[in-house]
Amino acid sequence: MYGSANDGARAARTARTARGARTACARTRALAGSVLAGALLLAGCSSSGGGPDDGDTQPGPTVRQRPKSVTPYWVDPKSNAAQQARTYADDGKSAQAAQLKKIAAQPVAEWIDAKDPRGHTARVTEAAADAGREALLVLYNVPHRDCGQYSKGGAQDAAAYRDWLDGVAEGIGERSATVIVEPDALAHTVSGDCASPRLRQERLQLLDAAVTKLKGLPRTKVYLDAGNPDWVRDPGALVEPLKRSGIAEADGFALNVSNFQTTASNVAYGKRLSSMVGGKHFVVDTSRNGNGPLKGGGEESWCNPPGRALGEAPTTRTGDEAVDAYLWVKRPGESDGECRGGPKAGAWWPSYALELARNSET
């Protein structure tokens, strides 16, 4: 579905479709410095990894790292979910604390701060390395981010973005990391207002620059975001943008970031797209797709929809050689935006986190 700024009726229809199906990704940006947020300890959060780096060294219950054979990614023992669970436990709300542990026990992605890319990235990758694990990072700072919607913002211009990207690369250095590159950005180049020729060309160049920069690091894997099956429904429309964005050099592409489409639909879609871009592998965000998408939710069915649930736990054991991992890229419990009573995009929302956990069998 290609949008056009000069085709009034068609552009309006395309923009409405994009808003209804888009990923809600920026609506997920992590609060800067979450790695350094307040201390917490949780009881019985996950299976043990069997080593001194598996949890907090203080006495008492702890958040442990997941076994590397299941998922190599770092579990942040000081995440919003972990802190909230500790607060509930301290307040005697054991049932709520138990629900939040479902989120706190899993590795979730860190969305890199726009103001301190080097420092933020270094803190996360160092913490992951100290625990013997790999950092999972998200870049979300492209100019004209989110086409001016709930998560509008991003770097001031292309030069500022390149400088920011340099900081991210310096923060990763030689440590292990997997990076999801710019949720929404590529799909927006084929639908809605962000498909204007000038903006499209600049954006694809910046995505390519991000892939090139990150793949120049010795232990970094890179996945370009490619929307979800209900946004750009014809995967063929993404082939040319992906190629211009550096998919040949990347490790693959990412699907369903911050959205709710089922794992099965994403895998089917991903395989179709993979066959068009040289057999590239892909990852799927399963953080909130346990109950699939909201039916009949209108144009903003992506924004804090009720009745959703956590999806498959993060793992590299997907059972499908084309699917490198199921990941929690969206941080469960962070708002998609100021809709349905939610706070601003990316803000922690305990009641929504509880709903996701309660509706899940994870």
Side-chain angles (χ1 to χ4, degrees):
M1 296 182 290
Y2 285 82
S4 170
N6 298 317
D7 186 355
R10 183 182 177 200
R13 288 193 299 272
T14 303
R16 285 195 297 271
T17 300
R19 284 193 297 269
R22 69 202 189 76
T23 63
C25 41
R27 299 147 328 237
T28 194
R29 207 171 139 236
L31 299 177
S34 64
V35 175
L36 301 180
L40 56 118
L41 296 168
L42 294 180
C45 281
S46 89
S47 58
S48 67
D53 293 326
D54 283 347
D56 197 296
T57 58
Q58 300 181 39
T62 182
V63 171
R64 296 187 182 278
Q65 299 302 318
R66 302 291 290 149
K68 286 184 179 180
S69 60
V70 175
T71 178
Y73 300 109
W74 178 60
V75 179
D76 181 2
K78 301 177 182 179
S79 67
N80 285 326
Q83 294 182 74
Q84 188 70 58
R86 182 57 180 172
T87 297
Y88 283 142
D90 287 346
D91 292 343
K93 299 178 179 178
S94 58
Q96 291 93 325
Q99 292 296 337
L100 263 293
K101 290 172 192 175
K102 295 178 181 178
I103 299 173
Q106 301 297 342
V108 297
E110 190 76 16
W111 296 60
I112 299 304
D113 182 23
K115 296 180 180 179
D116 183 21
R118 186 185 186 282
H120 188 187
T121 306
R123 288 192 295 272
V124 177
T125 55
E126 287 170 2
D130 287 345
R133 298 299 188 272
E134 182 175 329
L136 178 61
L137 310 173
V138 183
L139 304 190
Y140 194 61
N141 196 39
V142 73
H144 311 290
R145 188 180 67 202
D146 202 31
C147 287
Q149 299 180 72
Y150 281 121
S151 295
K152 64 184 178 181
Q156 183 175 359
D157 53 32
Y161 184 80
R162 291 175 186 272
D163 288 343
W164 179 82
L165 183 62
D166 287 343
V168 172
E170 291 170 4
I172 296 173
E174 296 186 356
R175 291 178 287 272
S176 295
T178 290
V179 184
I180 309 300
V181 174
E182 296 297 340
D184 290 352
L186 188 141
H188 267 144
T189 68
V190 299
S191 68
D193 297 337
C194 283
S196 65
R198 182 195 64 79
L199 180 57
R200 185 174 189 268
Q201 180 177 354
E202 175 188 87
R203 179 164 291 188
L204 297 179
Q205 289 173 345
L206 291 178
L207 294 176
D208 181 66
V211 172
T212 300
K213 171 69 69 173
L214 295 169
K215 287 306 298 178
L217 301 174
R219 301 175 67 191
T220 298
K221 296 188 288 291
V222 180
Y223 294 87
L224 277 163
D225 183 77
N228 67 73
D230 198 43
W231 185 351
V232 182
R233 297 187 179 183
D234 174 14
L238 294 170
V239 172
E240 181 261 348
L242 276 169
K243 288 181 177 179
R244 290 180 58 187
S245 298
I247 189 62
E249 190 176 356
D251 293 271
F253 55 91
L255 296 174
N256 206 47
V257 171
S258 297
N259 210 274
F260 305 85
Q261 307 304 311
T262 67
T263 301
S265 67
N266 276 284
V267 170
Y269 182 91
K271 288 184 175 181
R272 291 173 61 199
L273 181 55
S274 173
S275 69
M276 302 175 188
V277 289
K280 285 290 181 176
H281 290 195
F282 57 96
V283 297
V284 178
D285 183 358
T286 59
S287 58
R288 305 184 300 173
N289 73 348
N291 285 343
L294 179 66
K295 303 299 184 183
E299 291 185 5
E300 293 192 348
S301 60
W302 50 264
C303 192
N304 300 323
R308 302 309 93 199
L310 303 173
E312 288 96 338
T315 184
T316 52
R317 292 178 176 177
T318 66
D320 193 315
E321 64 178 13
V323 186
D324 285 346
Y326 298 142
L327 304 174
W328 284 10
V329 183
K330 167 69 179 183
R331 299 164 68 87
E334 291 184 359
S335 177
D336 293 321
E338 295 175 89
C339 60
R340 295 187 171 93
K344 66 180 181 180
W348 174 246
W349 190 9
S351 61
Y352 198 71
L354 276 173
E355 181 181 5
L356 289 169
R358 285 170 174 157
N359 291 338
S360 171
E361 296 181 357
T362 300

